[in-house]
Structure formats: structure tokens, C-alpha cells
Amino acid sequence: MKRRDVLKSFGSGMVAATSLAVGGKALAAKPEFKWKMVTTWPKNFPVLGTNANYLAKTIEEMSGGRIRIKVYGANELVPAFEAFDAVSRGTVEMGHGAPYYWKGKSETAQFFSAIPFGMTAQEVNGWLYYGGGLALWEELYDRFNLVPMATGNTGVQMAGWFRKDINSVDDLKGLKMRIPGLGGEVLSRAGGTPVSMPGGEIFTSLQSGAIDATEWIGPYNDLAFGLYKAAKNYYYPGWHEPGSTLETFVNKQTFESLPKDLQAIVKHACKDASMDMISEFSAKNNAALDTLVNKHQVSVKALPDDVLKKLHWLSNEVVQDIVDRDAFSQKVYASYSSFQQQAIKWSDVSEYAYMRARGLGA
Amino acid sequence: MKRRDVLKSFGSGMVAATSLAVGGKALAAKPEFKWKMVTTWPKNFPVLGTNANYLAKTIEEMSGGRIRIKVYGANELVPAFEAFDAVSRGTVEMGHGAPYYWKGKSETAQFFSAIPFGMTAQEVNGWLYYGGGLALWEELYDRFNLVPMATGNTGVQMAGWFRKDINSVDDLKGLKMRIPGLGGEVLSRAGGTPVSMPGGEIFTSLQSGAIDATEWIGPYNDLAFGLYKAAKNYYYPGWHEPGSTLETFVNKQTFESLPKDLQAIVKHACKDASMDMISEFSAKNNAALDTLVNKHQVSVKALPDDVLKKLHWLSNEVVQDIVDRDAFSQKVYASYSSFQQQAIKWSDVSEYAYMRARGLGA
């Protein structure tokens, strides 16, 4: 590059903003790209919201400040459930949320979050990165001018907080429970009444008896919400969300206008954030469960086997109905379920068999 | 920055090598840092070796070519088990391996790989990233002038290939088995004879009857080795390696001389590669298990409960002996085991309970 060309490049305003590495230090450069990230979580919401902060920080650090991302909590810039449209239109560059929030756009989106009685985090990441799952997700979001990236997973959630015991399938009848999405549809078919409400209303509704039960996430988030004060029966396992995938989505033109190195940084930062989130959930749920049981005397109970089998049967029905009426859902589910069939066989002799063996004691 | 300063900076030769982003494309720049990565795996060894390639490529892409890393298979540049020393001395910049290979340097290193009847991949990543595990690992490797980064996990392995059935603890007596590390020590205390040999010799030794059994990794790698041709009994679960962590280690001065943005790129690329490896193992083990069972008629068998309990008892003894004789091992194990105690309680009601529930059927 000749001196004249160098000066010419600098004249463009683009290169001058590049992070210059001199003498082993990255200079704080003027960012080339100033992005806004809208999220579906309250600002700094534990793990989900803080993971969005972590992601923004990682991208900024790896790019030496060439990308700066300002993270907005739900409703700060746009309402939580308008994040998808805002990024799709290019009003903001980037969003952080959960695919099942967009089922109004496409029923298939739900399958990229979680499927009741579907795959665990480790299994589903195998499908996403090495089983064609992410490519299908990209195909879907491309219709909406978005590039999706898997960004974290909750791991197996809890079944929820119940004011009364669940001893049989009959106890689900008439049960008024805050449970959104596919899980809610399953409860409805079991004779219950699924209710949707924002996180902030759950505690009061459960305490007043306006609802009989609620699911939320897992011990760490549930402890923070104080749900143990409103109901003492904490049921497991979270059959409806056995490993919910979270997401980042970037406006397609915005993403494509990035230099290749910054595209790589954004993509790999999301995968790094995936590892970070499941690890954070793993660590914090451990400790919170201990607090719930030993400090707050919560009763941790297993859903009875016949209840689980009934819910499984109804879950299959709910998924099949979606697959029957939507061609793209059929395509995605064919890929998902064929992967899951093999995944279960391997998990049975690896993760599952090992945890059973460890539990036998010495 | 004034024009004169810009020119001055360019005169340093360092800045000229920076990747310049112009018009949405990263220019292929002369690298600022040319590194060698030595590995403990044969070149392109499935998953373990290819993960090292993936890591090098990710770092190169994210840095816009400012770091170039040439990956060497075991023995190409230095023998497999001299990788640690070579990076420690600064002969090469970076290594990719498994911490238990360095037990000759410190017995504690083994604990960062895997502990028999210890934590699974998901649990151990919680400990590493959010439970203080990685900080302890850094403290250990700092003695050797190295910066360690967790880079991948195998997930639960298989117990191994056996020429004869294992029906009781007595069947372990006199058993000549290729099983290195802590698992080998446990087998020895059970009356067996652990044997160490390089991967390349395993198949012939098993086929000739020179050894009665071998562990290796899991279905995908074991299939590639053709071990099913030498023994038909494929036992689970891999009690000795329930989630082995792999590693990258970088020479400390080399790492510290990087600009902050490139330091971030190297660290986050390793975490990204961690997610990649467990996902690849998850996907490929699924499919390989199917091939082993349905194409090659392998008998997949569970180790009997009393055998598992005996091995668990002996594993606790082996770990306790290390802890008793080595102060740093004691410190690390105190952190590990207190995390594991809570992790098991959470896994019991989440991952484990869910996989059990799913298996009840609909």
C-alpha cells in the first residue's frame, strides 16, 4: 500500500476508526459500528439479561472497540415482543430473546426454543451445530430479514410451583396455571387452564390464589422471584422445557455489511455466550436449590409417572398438530426428531446411565 | 489523531500489519503474530485434533488474520508429551491437549481433566466458569509459565471394549486392560492390571489377546479405530471419565504481549471451541452408536451395579490418597467436591429426572 493510498483510505473515515494495535496495546478507537441490542428481558435480568450484557461486552472486547453495542431491556426502546420486528425492519441492529416468542410469525419458531419431551441442552446443541438445526433456523429467519444465532440454553427447567399436590392426572383438571407456549397447550388438553402473564405479575397471582400454579425457569430465577413464599410444592422435571435455547438475531443487511472478521466475532461470541449461559445456570441453580430446600423448607417433589406419561402423550399430539398444518414445521421436526431418536439412545448409555451409576453410591 | 501521527504510526511496521476494514471486507493482512500450536493428538484426529484446527481457524478469522496459527500433530514438531514443556519454555506459543497428561508435573492436573465418578461436562463447566475451577487451574499452570483455557469436553465416555463379560467384581481380577490415569489406578486396586499404550497399538493388542480389554473414548472414535472387530462387548458407562475436559495452554509472556483485543479473541475462541466440541461429540456419537449396534452387531452392556459401586469406592480411595499427599490437590478437590455435592442434587431433579421421565414413554 502506497503512502498516497494510505492517506486516501484514511480520508474515507472508515479506516480511521479501525482499532490500531501499537506496542502490544489496543487503542481505544472510535467505533466503526454503533449498534443497539433490544432484548425481551428486563434490564440485567439474572442470567438471561446479563448474558446479553456479556455478549455485548465480549463483542466489544474482541473487536477492540470497533463494534459498540448498547443493550436495552424490554420496553426501554421497544416493547419486549416487538424486538423481532424492530430488528427485521432495521430500526435496531440486533436482538436477544427466545424463538418461541415469535410463534405469531411462524409456528416453527417454537421448535427452536424447546419441544416438550424433546432434547436436552447438550443434545440440542449437537443438532444445532452438527445436525443441520441451525441451518434450518437460518432458513426460517431469512424470510424475516434476520440472521439467527443460538445464544445459550437454560438446561432442564423445573415443572413449577403448585399450591396443591399433584398426585394423579385428575389433579391437572381445572388447574389454573401460568404456563405459556406448547406446554400451555398440553395443559389445556389435560383439562387445565393455561394462563399467560408477564413475569412481574406471577408472584401476586400465585399468592392470592388467582392461579393455582406457575412454571418459571429454575431454582436461581425462581428464588429471586420469591415464588417459594406463595407455594411450597416445587415439582420436577420441566417436561415442557427440557433445554430451552435462547437466541440473538441480527438484521441481515447490517450483518452482511460487516467486514468478515467482525462477522466472525459476532457469530463466535454468540457460541461463546452459549457456553457461558449453560455454565452459569448450572452453577447458580445448584446453589439456589440448596437455599430453597435448606433455608426455605421448600418441598421438592417428582411429578408422578402416570402424569408424566399423559403429558408426554398430549405433547406428541400438540407437536403433531403443528407439523400437520405447517409444511416448514414438518421439515424442521423431521430433522429434529430423527436426531432425537439417536440422541436418546446415546444419552441412555452415557449421561443418563452415568448419573444413575454415580447415584448408586460407593 | 493528526495526519503526521498517522504517518508516524504507520512507520512503525506494526500498524501496517493491522487488518484494515475497508468497504465491508477484511483485507488479508500480513499477520502480526505467527504462532505454532503443538498438540497431543495425531494430526486431524477426529474431534480432538480437528477441534484444534477449528480453534486456530476461529482465532485467525476473528483477528482478521492478525494471528496466524499453524497446527502440528503429535510428534510433528515435538513428541506428544513434550507439548507442555515446549510451550512453557516458549519454544512454541501454544498447545492443545488434556491436563491429565501432565500429572508428572503436578498430580493436581489430573483433576482438571476428569475425576472418576466426578462431574459431567455440563456440571464441570459450571465449576470451571462460575465455581472457581478455572481460577485454580490458572493458579496451577502459572507455576509453569502457562495460561490454561478449557477447550472442549468429551462428555460421558464408554467404559470400554471387553473380550469377556463382566458379571461381577471378580471378573476384574487379573483383567489386563488398557486404561490410563486415575481409572487405571482404580482397576489396579480392583485386582486388574492397567496397561498404558499409544492409541495406534490398541487394536492389535486387543485382537491378539495381549490385552483383555481397552477403554478409548466413545462410539465415534471407537468406531473409527475398528475396535468392534477385536471385541464385541461394549460396556457403559464411562465411570472413569464422565466428562473429560480438554485444554489449550499458551506461553504466559506470549499471551501477555498480545494486545487486549487479541487476548480476548484467544480466550473466547477457546470457550467457543468448548461448545463446538461437546456438540460435535454429541452428534457424532449418536450416529456412530447406531452404526455399531445395527451394522456391526456390537453388544452394548451395562456394568453391573455391584461392579460400579466397588469401582466408586476404590475411586474415592484413589482420589483421597492424592489429596492426602499433595496440598494443592487438596485445595482443588475441596472446591471441586463441594461444587459436585450441590451439582448432583440439581442434576438429580433436572437432567437426570428429565431423561428418566422421557424414557417412560407416552
Side-chain angles (χ1 to χ4, degrees):
Chain A
M1 212 178 199
K2 287 178 190 165
R3 182 196 264 206
R4 200 170 29 216
D5 297 331
V6 169
L7 287 172
K8 205 171 150 196
S9 296
F10 266 75
S12 76
M14 195 84 185
V15 173
T18 301
S19 171
L20 302 178
V22 182
K25 283 185 191 169
L27 298 180
K30 216 177 86 183
E32 288 170 63
F33 302 92
K34 286 176 94 167
W35 284 10
K36 296 183 180 77
M37 189 200 300
V38 289
T39 70
T40 58
W41 329 110
K43 183 93 178 161
N44 302 323
F45 187 80
V47 192
L48 303 178
T50 53
N51 185 264
N53 301 345
Y54 170 90
L55 175 63
K57 186 165 169 280
T58 302
I59 292 173
E60 185 165 327
E61 287 179 359
M62 291 203 290
S63 72
R66 288 163 63 203
I67 309 184
R68 292 266 165 86
I69 300 174
K70 187 163 160 58
V71 180
Y72 292 88
N75 310 319
E76 283 193 325
L77 201 62
V78 299
F81 297 146
E82 287 178 22
F84 192 89
D85 281 339
V87 180
S88 177
R89 280 194 306 267
T91 313
V92 291
E93 291 78 11
M94 189 176 195
H96 188 276
Y100 56 17
Y101 292 148
W102 324 121
K103 71 168 179 173
K105 304 287 177 187
S106 160
E107 286 205 284
T108 318
Q110 301 173 93
F111 291 174
F112 294 110
S113 269
I115 293 184
F117 291 95
M119 289 193 267
T120 64
Q122 196 161 303
E123 293 166 351
V124 89
N125 284 326
W127 178 62
L128 288 170
Y129 295 117
Y130 281 91
L134 189 55
L136 289 165
W137 193 353
E138 287 166 348
E139 188 181 338
L140 177 67
Y141 275 30
D142 191 64
R143 296 187 199 164
F144 303 99
N145 200 38
L146 295 170
V147 181
M149 292 153 208
T151 309
N153 195 297
T154 62
V156 174
Q157 302 194 4
M158 288 292 283
W161 298 86
F162 294 74
R163 291 166 58 94
K164 291 184 187 154
D165 275 337
I166 301 296
N167 294 315
S168 72
V169 175
D170 282 344
D171 291 328
L172 300 175
K173 295 206 170 87
L175 189 80
K176 208 167 166 190
M177 179 171 180
R178 184 269 176 197
I179 177 170
L182 296 172
E185 178 61 27
V186 172
L187 179 68
S188 169
R189 293 190 190 198
T193 306
V195 177
S196 276
M197 63 177 67
E201 294 173 23
I202 296 176
F203 176 78
T204 316
S205 303
L206 186 62
Q207 199 172 39
S208 71
I211 54 174
D212 307 309
T214 186
E215 63 83 57
W216 185 229
I217 302 177
Y220 182 60
N221 294 92
D222 295 6
L223 173 64
F225 255 31
L227 296 172
Y228 63 90
K229 295 179 210 155
K232 281 287 178 201
N233 301 302
Y234 198 22
Y235 275 94
Y236 68 89
W239 55 273
H240 60 306
E241 297 200 37
S244 292
T245 301
L246 290 306
E247 64 175 0
T248 301
F249 41 90
V250 181
N251 177 274
K252 197 182 169 191
Q253 285 75 43
T254 303
F255 186 75
E256 288 177 350
S257 71
L258 287 179
K260 293 281 179 237
D261 55 344
L262 295 184
Q263 287 185 1
I265 281 176
V266 171
K267 285 212 169 189
H268 290 290
C270 289
K271 205 160 166 182
D272 165 288
S274 281
M275 175 52 78
D276 196 76
M277 187 190 288
I278 189 71
S279 302
E280 185 172 9
F281 267 123
S282 172
K284 294 191 174 161
N285 279 333
N286 293 346
L289 181 66
D290 188 68
T291 303
L292 286 170
V293 171
N294 294 316
K295 190 169 165 201
H296 301 303
Q297 283 76 47
V298 164
S299 298
V300 177
K301 296 174 178 172
L303 285 172
D305 285 357
D306 62 336
V307 171
L308 288 164
K309 285 161 82 170
K310 179 74 176 177
L311 293 168
H312 197 158
W313 175 269
L314 295 170
S315 296
N316 291 350
E317 271 189 7
V318 166
V319 170
Q320 194 56 50
D321 284 355
I322 295 172
V323 165
D324 285 347
R325 66 178 175 247
D326 182 74
F328 196 71
S329 293
Q330 190 170 40
K331 182 175 171 181
V332 171
Y333 190 65
S335 167
Y336 183 100
S337 63
S338 102
F339 192 95
Q340 181 174 345
Q341 278 170 39
Q342 287 191 342
I344 286 178
K345 287 182 190 151
W346 169 232
S347 290
D348 275 352
V349 300
S350 57
E351 302 291 325
Y352 179 66
Y354 172 69
M355 287 195 266
R356 182 191 163 279
R358 184 175 62 178
L360 294 169
Chain B
M1 211 181 202
K2 289 177 189 165
R3 184 196 262 206
R4 197 168 34 212
D5 296 332
V6 169
L7 288 173
K8 206 170 147 197
S9 295
F10 266 75
S12 77
M14 195 82 183
V15 174
T18 301
S19 171
L20 302 177
V22 181
K25 284 184 190 168
L27 298 181
K30 215 176 87 184
E32 288 170 63
F33 301 94
K34 288 176 93 166
W35 284 11
K36 296 183 181 76
M37 189 200 301
V38 289
T39 71
T40 57
W41 328 110
K43 183 95 178 159
N44 302 322
F45 187 80
V47 193
L48 303 178
T50 54
N51 185 264
N53 301 345
Y54 170 90
L55 174 64
K57 186 166 168 279
T58 302
I59 292 172
E60 184 165 327
E61 286 179 0
M62 291 204 289
S63 72
R66 289 163 62 203
I67 308 184
R68 293 265 165 86
I69 300 173
K70 187 163 161 57
V71 180
Y72 292 87
N75 309 320
E76 284 194 325
L77 202 61
V78 299
F81 297 146
E82 287 177 24
F84 191 90
D85 281 338
V87 179
S88 176
R89 279 193 309 266
T91 313
V92 292
E93 291 79 10
M94 188 175 195
H96 188 277
Y100 55 16
Y101 292 147
W102 324 121
K103 71 168 179 173
K105 304 287 178 187
S106 159
E107 285 204 286
T108 319
Q110 301 172 93
F111 291 174
F112 294 109
S113 270
I115 294 184
F117 291 94
M119 290 194 266
T120 64
Q122 196 161 302
E123 294 166 349
V124 89
N125 284 326
W127 177 63
L128 288 170
Y129 295 118
Y130 280 91
L134 189 55
L136 288 166
W137 193 352
E138 286 167 348
E139 187 180 338
L140 177 66
Y141 275 31
D142 191 64
R143 295 187 202 164
F144 303 99
N145 201 37
L146 295 171
V147 181
M149 292 154 209
T151 310
N153 194 299
T154 62
V156 174
Q157 302 193 5
M158 289 291 285
W161 299 86
F162 294 74
R163 290 167 58 94
K164 291 187 188 153
D165 276 336
I166 301 296
N167 295 317
S168 72
V169 174
D170 281 345
D171 290 328
L172 300 175
K173 296 207 170 86
L175 190 79
K176 206 168 166 189
M177 179 172 182
R178 185 268 177 197
I179 177 170
L182 297 171
E185 177 61 28
V186 172
L187 178 68
S188 168
R189 293 190 191 199
T193 306
V195 177
S196 277
M197 63 177 68
E201 293 174 23
I202 296 176
F203 176 79
T204 316
S205 302
L206 187 61
Q207 198 172 40
S208 71
I211 55 175
D212 306 309
T214 185
E215 64 82 60
W216 185 229
I217 303 176
Y220 182 59
N221 295 93
D222 295 7
L223 174 63
F225 256 31
L227 296 172
Y228 63 90
K229 294 179 209 156
K232 281 288 177 199
N233 302 303
Y234 197 22
Y235 275 94
Y236 68 88
W239 56 273
H240 60 307
E241 296 200 38
S244 293
T245 301
L246 289 306
E247 65 175 359
T248 300
F249 41 90
V250 181
N251 178 274
K252 196 181 171 193
Q253 285 75 43
T254 302
F255 186 76
E256 288 176 351
S257 71
L258 286 180
K260 292 281 179 236
D261 56 343
L262 296 184
Q263 286 186 1
I265 281 175
V266 171
K267 284 213 169 189
H268 290 290
C270 289
K271 206 160 165 181
D272 164 289
S274 281
M275 175 52 77
D276 197 77
M277 187 191 288
I278 189 71
S279 302
E280 184 172 8
F281 268 122
S282 173
K284 294 191 173 161
N285 279 332
N286 294 345
L289 182 66
D290 188 69
T291 303
L292 286 170
V293 171
N294 294 315
K295 189 170 165 200
H296 300 304
Q297 283 77 48
V298 165
S299 298
V300 176
K301 296 174 179 174
L303 285 172
D305 286 356
D306 63 336
V307 171
L308 288 164
K309 285 160 83 169
K310 179 72 174 179
L311 292 168
H312 197 158
W313 176 269
L314 295 170
S315 295
N316 291 351
E317 271 190 5
V318 166
V319 170
Q320 194 57 50
D321 284 354
I322 295 172
V323 165
D324 285 347
R325 67 178 174 244
D326 181 74
F328 196 70
S329 293
Q330 189 169 42
K331 181 175 172 181
V332 171
Y333 190 66
S335 167
Y336 183 101
S337 63
S338 100
F339 192 95
Q340 179 174 345
Q341 278 170 38
Q342 289 191 340
I344 287 179
K345 287 182 190 151
W346 169 234
S347 290
D348 275 352
V349 300
S350 58
E351 302 292 323
Y352 178 66
Y354 172 69
M355 287 194 266
R356 181 190 163 281
R358 184 175 63 179
L360 294 168

